[in-house]
Structure formats: C-alpha cells, structure tokens
Amino acid sequence: MILSTATLLGPLSLLASTASAGPLTSPKRGLIFIPDARFPQDRDAHIWKQNPSPLTWYYNYQAEPSPAFGDLPQSEFEFVPMLWGKPDDKDDTSFLKTVERLVDTRKINITHVLGFNEPDGPRKWGGSDIDPDTAAHVWLKNIAPLRERGIQVGLPACTGSPDGTKWLDTFLKSCSKQLSGKGPTKNCTYDFVNLHWYGSFEGLASHIGSYSATFPDMPLWITEYNLNHQDLPATQSFYNMSSEYFDRLDYVERYSIFGAFRSDVSNVGPNAAMLDPDGQLTDIGAWYLGRPATGVTPSAGLRGVDPRRAVSLFGAAVAGFALLYV
Ligand SMILES: *[C@@H]1O[C@H](CO)[C@@H](O)[C@H](O)[C@H]1NC(C)=O
Ligand SMILES: *[C@@H]1O[C@H](CO)[C@@H](O)[C@H](O)[C@H]1NC(C)=O
Ligand SMILES: *[C@@H]1O[C@H](CO)[C@@H](O)[C@H](O)[C@H]1NC(C)=O
C-alpha cells in the first residue's frame, strides 16, 4: 500500500496544530543518544530525561547502556541494545554475551534489541556496509539466541533508499538458507521492522507505505528520520506532520528523531537539530519533549562557526564512535 500524498495532506494540515505539545509520556517516542565528542562528560544528556519528559526509551548504537542514564530503571527509560555492524571475526558472539550479561548479571530487563545500522550504506555516510550473507551469519550467532530467550528483535535498519527492502529480502533468504542447512526450510524470525528516512514528509509517508506493504502486520520502528538541510519553517512543518502521523498510525510502534545534538555539529543541517550551539532546546527540541516552543533558533548561536568545520567535527565524532563500537 503506497500512501498517496493527496489523501494525506488534507486531514493532516488540520491536525498539525494539535500535534504541538504532544503526549505527557509516549510509549512510542524515544531518544537516539549521541554523545558530543567535545564534551566527554555528556554535558547535554540530562536534558532528555528532565521532568516532565515523554521519552520512554533510547538507543545509542551500542550494546551497553550509556552511563548518563545508568540510574534509570528500564521501566522509566528502556535501553535498547544495538548490534551496530559486523565483528572482525564473523563467528564472534560478543554482542550476545554482552546482552546476556546485562540481563543475567546486571539484572537489566532488556526486552528489545536492534539489528544492524544501515547495513546497505557505506561507512563514510555512517552505514555499517555489510553483505546480506555475512549479516545473516552474524545475526544467527548473536540475535537469534536472544529471541529464543524471549527478547523481541528488530530487523536491520536500512538507509532510506528504495533498495532497503531488497537488502532485507536477500538477508532473510540467506538467513533461512543458513538456518535450514540440508533440513526442512526454516525461516529467521523477528518481531518488528526498523527503517530510516531523510527527506520530505510525502517521501516519508510513501516509504512507510512500501515497508508496511512488504511487511504486513509487522510493527514499524522509525529509528532515524528528519528533513535534512532545509529552512526552518519547512523543517518545523515536517516535524509537526511526522510526529502527528507516527502518533496516529497503530503499526508505528516506536520512533526516534535524528536530532538530539547541537546545531553546530549537525550533519543533517542546523535546523534539524534539537539543540542550539549553546545546548538550549530549539522549538523542535521542546516540542519533542512535549513542551511549548522556546523561540530559540537553531543557528542563532552559530556566531561565525564555519558550517563546513561543523560538519567535519560531527563526522569525526561519528567515525570515532563507529570505530569504537563495530
Ligand atoms: C508546528 O506546531 C507548533 C505547535 O503547535 C505551531 O506553533 C507551529 O506554528 C507549527 N509550525 C508549522 C510550520 O506547522
Ligand atoms: C521486563 O519488562 C517487561 C515489559 O515491561 C515486563 O513485562 C516484565 O515483567 C519485566 N520482567 C522483569 C523480570 O522485571
Ligand atoms: C518462509 O518464508 C517464506 C517467504 O516469506 C514463505 O513463503 C514460507 O512459507 C516460509 N516457510 C516457513 C516454513 O515458515
């Protein structure tokens, strides 16, 4: 089912004005926690769970929870481990062991885990660049055993490319083949499907439509999204429409905007960031936390920072991060 733009825009523009403040707590709305490499003490982390905050879950592209949220029980702020990429040795089971240790030794009630981050994308854009056969092998070693013990598992989160569902199809076929061996056909199983999107609202709606057609009856998690590199009115309008849309669709089980960082290090354009260069919430940041607009413009504090330098700073942070946690 591809949603048509024409039928979506009518009702949504009427609803946009009620989308603003959002719910007091939301089982759907979560945080992508991205530490700022410039502030090793996680200076901005407290903002996201300052009361009242509707955010109920987070991920950080890693297997281990972030120390900044270490005091919060899962019932208050659910940490969702992610297997970001493939290990150097494809038989490595570090991810599995780490999650088992969280559950069995540290008694952290892990209930969901995320598959690979953008396996269909190149490293230079933040993708984990894994061929579907290897990904399936690593999945069977690390993710499948977690599902056997009752943890819900999410399919790998492909880029917003229309070919993402093809990567997933090849992955699932390979996974089934490796699992079945010479015996009767068995399929790899999962509980929800992840997707990413950068671009217009119409594109987002159509992308979600194609995923829900490919994976009917599966809950969707939109684990990265935004309108990148656009002016502020367009970005805010995208924010209003997308949050209203996600809150309304039953099969959208969770979502997390890519924007919990300062605008001067944003690689998706300053207007998509939830913090200004001084760490104050922008309007979008405040709305995401269910609060009224702050009137803080994302670029207000840019004060002569060369945007190209800003992007490379962020790139370096992401690259460093990726290297650490592959
Ligand atoms: C977005 O929603 C807020 C809060 O309701 C509203 O003040 C703002 O005008 C909206 N912006 C756009 C561009 O729709
Ligand atoms: C873990 O969390 C789930 C979901 O909130 C809950 O149903 C389950 O009872 C919890 N398990 C333990 C051991 O606390
Ligand atoms: C495995 O998945 C394929 C493709 O979705 C389906 O056609 C087939 O019936 C499934 N087989 C089993 C044993 O579940």
Side-chain angles (χ1 to χ4, degrees):
M1 168 191 62
I2 307 285
L3 297 171
S4 119
T5 308
T7 52
L8 280 169
L9 286 182
L12 280 179
S13 50
L14 290 174
L15 285 164
S17 60
T18 59
S20 60
L24 279 181
T25 80
S26 161
K28 296 188 179 189
R29 196 174 289 187
L31 171 70
I32 309 172
F33 183 58
I34 303 174
D36 190 322
R38 298 169 302 175
F39 311 122
Q41 298 305 316
D42 287 340
R43 201 157 114 166
D44 298 327
H46 67 280
I47 293 170
W48 312 111
K49 278 305 281 177
Q50 216 158 47
N51 274 329
S53 168
L55 308 185
T56 46
W57 68 280
Y58 78 102
Y59 79 101
N60 58 12
Y61 301 101
Q62 302 170 45
E64 305 246 17
S66 301
F69 304 118
D71 295 342
L72 296 171
Q74 290 291 88
S75 53
E76 229 169 276
F77 202 37
E78 181 196 338
F79 171 64
V80 182
M82 174 186 255
L83 173 55
W84 186 85
K86 69 170 158 51
D88 289 338
D89 167 7
K90 70 185 170 82
D91 292 323
D92 182 296
T93 54
S94 305
F95 180 80
L96 171 65
K97 286 185 196 132
T98 300
V99 176
E100 283 176 341
R101 198 169 58 240
L102 294 179
V103 177
D104 298 332
T105 311
R106 292 178 61 189
K107 306 291 177 204
I108 300 175
N109 185 12
I110 301 295
T111 49
H112 300 83
V113 296
L114 299 171
F116 307 101
N117 183 67
E118 303 195 349
D120 61 329
R123 294 271 175 143
K124 63 177 175 183
W125 299 116
S128 56
D129 196 3
I130 321 176
D131 68 275
D133 287 334
T134 307
H137 180 90
V138 175
W139 169 283
L140 284 168
K141 294 253 171 210
N142 287 276
I143 304 263
L146 293 173
R147 188 168 194 273
E148 271 166 33
R149 58 179 290 174
I151 293 175
Q152 299 202 8
V153 308
L155 275 191
C158 286
T159 63
S161 149
D163 290 339
T165 49
K166 281 190 204 138
W167 189 97
L168 288 170
D169 184 54
T170 315
F171 165 81
L172 285 169
K173 286 193 171 116
S174 175
C175 197
S176 168
K177 211 166 137 194
Q178 294 181 42
L179 178 67
S180 311
K182 294 197 169 68
T185 303
K186 284 188 261 177
N187 283 335
C188 292
T189 45
Y190 49 90
D191 303 283
F192 57 97
V193 176
N194 287 275
L195 61 96
H196 289 177
W197 178 256
Y198 293 97
S200 71
F201 177 75
E202 293 73 21
L204 167 71
S206 150
H207 195 59
I208 288 182
S210 91
Y211 265 77
S212 72
T214 310
F215 300 101
D217 306 322
M218 269 287 152
L220 299 183
W221 289 28
I222 295 91
T223 43
E224 277 189 24
Y225 71 97
N226 216 321
L227 177 63
N228 52 337
H229 302 290
Q230 298 298 320
D231 64 28
L232 190 56
T235 312
Q236 293 191 340
S237 157
F238 171 88
Y239 172 79
N240 284 356
M241 288 196 281
S242 55
S243 36
E244 186 280 331
Y245 189 56
F246 296 157
D247 286 337
R248 181 161 51 85
L249 289 183
D250 284 340
Y251 58 83
V252 171
E253 192 169 82
R254 295 194 187 187
Y255 61 91
S256 48
I257 197 168
F258 189 79
F261 37 73
R262 299 187 182 201
S263 59
D264 56 334
V265 289
S266 171
N267 65 345
V268 286
N271 294 319
M274 294 203 279
L275 300 173
D276 82 346
D278 299 321
Q280 302 180 81
L281 286 170
T282 62
D283 288 351
I284 289 177
W287 292 332
Y288 198 69
L289 296 180
R291 301 180 201 161
T294 56
V296 170
T297 16
S299 51
L302 277 175
R303 287 188 300 250
V305 173
D306 178 347
R308 279 164 306 178
R309 195 184 138 256
V311 167
S312 68
L313 249 178
F314 187 88
V318 168
F321 190 63
L323 284 174
L324 274 174
Y325 298 108
V326 171

